[in-house]
């Protein structure tokens, strides 16, 4: 029997999960699985603000994580895709043919067109960017000002992590709206209190119009001076899908159907930050590892179904919590409805930090768990949340906070 050549691009949360699940569950050995990634290291991308503050490398050997699973790992930069000939061009490795492609190349900081952003702001989307920022932060003198642009969870985590790790550096957070807009009133109030206690100055409803070498210039002409400026505004998909001619949305994410297949090229499947369903699977999908892991597991299941002539299943997904770290000593766990809208219930402070750390560890440990026990990754779909699950999700001794 000829095996189907399945090539997976990118070994982030989504690519690793897809590879391990496919190889682990393929008992009839119908697939030849190849995983290609720029680096031979898996980075816990959700810890990049900790890398930037010199607390961890957040890196793990990909080969060790794959263990003895029958997965061919190729280290190399994927330069181009030829969707007609079904080949992938990899720097230094030539062309690699596929029958099915899994596109999991993740995201990059949005390529915004504001003058000065690329020249004067640091980014925090990749290990390389985080390492460059780390060296710059280490070299700063006390009193040097840090300005973070972006009031989403990445901006909040970055600003508070720096404020806690370097208490001598005044930190500003600049956002067009208010920080943590998706949180409940109680969650936002806790954020405001934490910023004040941690010495983070918030400029809300403030749009940056341009960036100079030493200051953000807002639309109203105000200058917010900095020694280090950081872009944590928005993210977009890696550019390869668009460049190759796959159907993509405005963020460059490959548009996929309910079975995780490209709507333009059904031999290509997609998961993680680089893919977005055209049909709501039960909730709008955020760029998050909490989403990337189930998407990738479902992709693997559907690919196997396709190889075994079984019907593919539509993706069904619902949220339980959002969590945000505020340095290492406090965090915020926000319970949400399956559609990601906030409930009033939050867990804060030290317990919030512990819960967040447990969730980040769980995201990474899902990978060895999937290797040891194929099919281990499970998630809740819309309408599948059993009563009482919120309490089960609380860490031991956590006291829920009602605002
Ligand atoms: C600072 C920060 C904090 C975050 N915090 C959270 C959080 O608390 N919770 C949460 O759920 N999410 C968080 N996120 C988002 C989360 O990291 C992403 O949603 C997640 O990493 C997406 O997984 P992925 O597998 O799709 O992509 P990635 O993890 O980005 O993996 C993509 C992989 O593809 C590789 N690659 C890309 N292009 C190429 C190429 N051309 N050739 C070869 N290899 C390539 C990359 O090197 C990488 O290994 C955070 C992100 C950042 C930056």
């Amino acid at each position: 029997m000829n095996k189907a050549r399945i090539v997976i691009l990118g070994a982030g949360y989504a690519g690793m999960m897809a590879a391990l699940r496919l190889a682990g569950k393929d008992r009839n050995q119908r697939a030849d699985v190849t995983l290609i990634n720029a680096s031979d290291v898996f980075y816990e991308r959700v810890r990049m603000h900790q890398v930037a503050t010199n607390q961890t490398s957040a890196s793990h050997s990909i080969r060790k994580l794959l263990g003895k699973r029958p997965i061919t790992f190729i280290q190399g930069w994927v330069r181009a895709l030829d969707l007609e000939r079904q080949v992938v061009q990899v720097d230094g490795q030539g062309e690699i043919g596929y029958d099915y492609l899994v596109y999991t190349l993740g995201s990059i900081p949005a390529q915004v067109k504001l003058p000065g952003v690329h020249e004067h702001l640091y980014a925090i989307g990749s290990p390389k960017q985080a390492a460059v920022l780390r060296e710059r932060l280490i070299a700063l003198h006390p009193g040097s000002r840090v300005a973070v642009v972006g009031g989403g969870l990445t901006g909040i985590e970055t600003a508070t992590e720096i404020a806690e790790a370097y208490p001598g550096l005044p930190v500003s957070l600049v956002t067009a709206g208010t920080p943590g807009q998706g949180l409940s009133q109680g969650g936002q109030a806790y954020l405001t209190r934490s910023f004040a206690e941690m010495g983070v100055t918030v400029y809300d409803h403030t749009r940056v119009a341009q960036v100079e070498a030493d200051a953000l210039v807002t639309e109203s002409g105000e200058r917010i001076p900095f020694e280090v400026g950081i872009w944590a505004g928005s993210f977009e998909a890696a550019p390869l899908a668009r460049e190759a001619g796959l159907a993509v949305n405005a963020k460059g994410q490959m548009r996929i159907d309910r079975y995780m297949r490209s709507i333009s090229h059904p031999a290509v499947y997609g998961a993680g930050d680089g893919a977005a369903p055209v049909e709501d699977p039960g909730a709008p999908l955020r760029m998050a590892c909490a989403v990337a892991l189930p998407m990738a597991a479902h992709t693997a299941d559907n690919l196997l179904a396709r190889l075994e002539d079984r019907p593919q299943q539509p993706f069904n997904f619902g949220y339980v919590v959002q969590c945000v770290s505020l340095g290492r000593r406090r965090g915020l766990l926000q319970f949400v409805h399956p559609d990601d809208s906030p409930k009033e219930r939050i867990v804060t402070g030290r317990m919030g930090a512990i819960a967040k750390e447990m969730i980040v560890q769980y995201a990474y440990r899902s990978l060895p768990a999937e290797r040891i026990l194929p099919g281990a990754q499970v998630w809740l779909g819309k309408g599948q949340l059993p009563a009482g699950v919120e309490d089960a999700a609380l860490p031991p001794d956590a006291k829920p906070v009602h605002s």
Side-chain angles (χ1 to χ4, degrees), residues 212-227:
E212 296 177 350
D214 57 356
L216 306 171
V217 183
T218 70
E219 277 184 354
S220 63
E222 187 183 358
R223 290 181 90 253
I224 301 171
F226 62 72
E227 272 68 41

Side-chain angles (χ1 to χ4, degrees), residues 46-389:
V46 300
R47 292 194 192 274
M48 284 306 121
H49 49 297
Q50 290 175 259
V51 174
T53 46
N54 203 18
Q55 303 182 48
T56 175
S57 70
S59 60
H60 311 269
S61 156
I62 288 177
R63 288 192 177 84
K64 266 197 192 151
L65 271 172
L66 298 178
K68 294 202 167 75
R69 285 284 169 223
I71 299 166
T72 305
F73 174 66
I74 296 176
Q75 184 184 352
W77 182 255
V78 183
R79 182 63 50 190
L81 315 178
D82 186 330
L83 300 167
E84 298 313 314
R85 290 170 51 232
Q86 303 208 165
V87 294
V88 176
Q89 276 173 29
V90 182
D91 283 0
Q93 308 283 340
E95 291 189 339
I96 294 163
Y98 66 83
D99 298 307
Y100 297 104
L101 191 68
V102 181
Y103 185 87
T104 47
L105 288 182
S107 59
I108 56 173
Q111 303 300 293
V112 286
K113 299 215 164 52
L114 289 180
V117 166
H118 302 293
E119 294 85 343
H120 305 307
L121 293 187
Y122 289 83
I124 190 152
S126 71
K128 213 170 173 178
Q129 290 165 341
V132 171
L133 177 58
R134 177 186 65 208
E135 297 313 308
R136 181 73 182 109
L137 288 172
I138 288 171
L140 285 178
H141 297 296
S144 302
R145 293 153 298 186
V146 176
V148 178
V149 183
L153 301 188
T154 303
I156 293 167
E157 292 196 330
T158 303
T160 49
E161 199 76 49
I162 294 172
E164 185 186 89
Y166 296 99
L169 303 179
V171 178
S172 307
L173 181 66
V174 183
T175 173
T178 50
Q181 270 168 343
L183 301 171
S184 64
Q185 277 186 0
Q188 293 198 23
Y190 180 69
L191 271 190
T192 305
R193 213 165 59 235
S194 299
F195 289 141
E197 286 169 10
M198 298 178 82
V200 175
T201 306
V202 177
Y203 293 83
D204 55 6
H205 303 290
T206 303
R207 279 190 183 278
V208 175
Q210 71 176 84
V211 183
E212 296 177 350
D214 57 356
L216 306 171
V217 183
T218 70
E219 277 184 354
S220 63
E222 187 183 358
R223 290 181 90 253
I224 301 171
F226 62 72
E227 272 68 41
V228 166
I230 301 167
W231 174 260
S234 52
F235 287 81
E236 65 186 30
L240 215 58
R242 177 179 276 136
E243 289 166 8
L246 287 158
V248 295
N249 64 14
K251 287 183 180 167
Q253 294 171 295
M254 181 179 129
R255 303 181 74 209
I256 53 173
D257 65 13
R258 57 214 305 250
Y259 305 108
M260 321 305 280
R261 302 173 301 198
S262 157
I263 58 164
S264 58
H265 296 78
V268 185
Y269 285 67
D273 287 4
V278 288
E279 212 180 300
D280 196 335
L285 297 188
R286 280 189 263 129
M287 285 188 179
C289 65
V291 175
L293 289 166
M295 281 177 91
H298 194 71
T299 297
D301 290 352
N302 270 353
L303 261 169
L304 276 177
R306 193 159 169 175
L307 297 184
E308 292 169 1
D309 282 330
R310 288 184 286 109
Q312 299 185 63
Q313 299 299 324
F315 186 50
N316 185 14
F317 182 80
Y319 295 92
V320 180
V321 290
Q322 282 190 26
C323 52
V324 50
S325 65
L326 304 164
R328 294 300 94 200
R329 293 192 282 275
R330 60 172 92 195
L332 170 61
L333 194 67
Q334 169 74 65
F335 286 94
V336 295
H337 296 283
D339 67 359
D340 213 21
S341 59
K343 299 181 175 178
E344 272 310 310
R345 191 169 199 199
I346 55 176
V347 177
T348 60
R350 186 94 187 138
M351 285 319 300
I354 292 171
K356 164 78 188 189
E357 177 58 26
M358 282 167 63
I359 288 169
V360 167
Q361 284 191 24
Y362 165 80
Y364 164 66
R365 288 184 183 158
S366 308
L367 301 175
E370 190 66 36
R371 184 190 66 230
I372 294 162
L373 194 64
Q377 176 71 24
V378 288
W379 62 96
L380 289 165
K382 191 184 175 192
Q384 292 174 337
L385 200 62
V389 73

Side-chain angles (χ1 to χ4, degrees), residues 20-68:
L20 287 164
R21 184 138 168 147
L22 255 173
K25 288 181 84 175
D26 182 22
R27 295 203 181 82
N28 299 324
Q29 302 189 346
R30 290 177 195 259
D32 241 336
V33 182
T34 300
L35 175 66
I36 307 174
N37 195 59
S39 154
D40 61 354
V41 164
F42 167 82
Y43 289 99
E44 291 180 76
R45 196 166 172 230
V46 300
R47 292 194 192 274
M48 284 306 121
H49 49 297
Q50 290 175 259
V51 174
T53 46
N54 203 18
Q55 303 182 48
T56 175
S57 70
S59 60
H60 311 269
S61 156
I62 288 177
R63 288 192 177 84
K64 266 197 192 151
L65 271 172
L66 298 178
K68 294 202 167 75

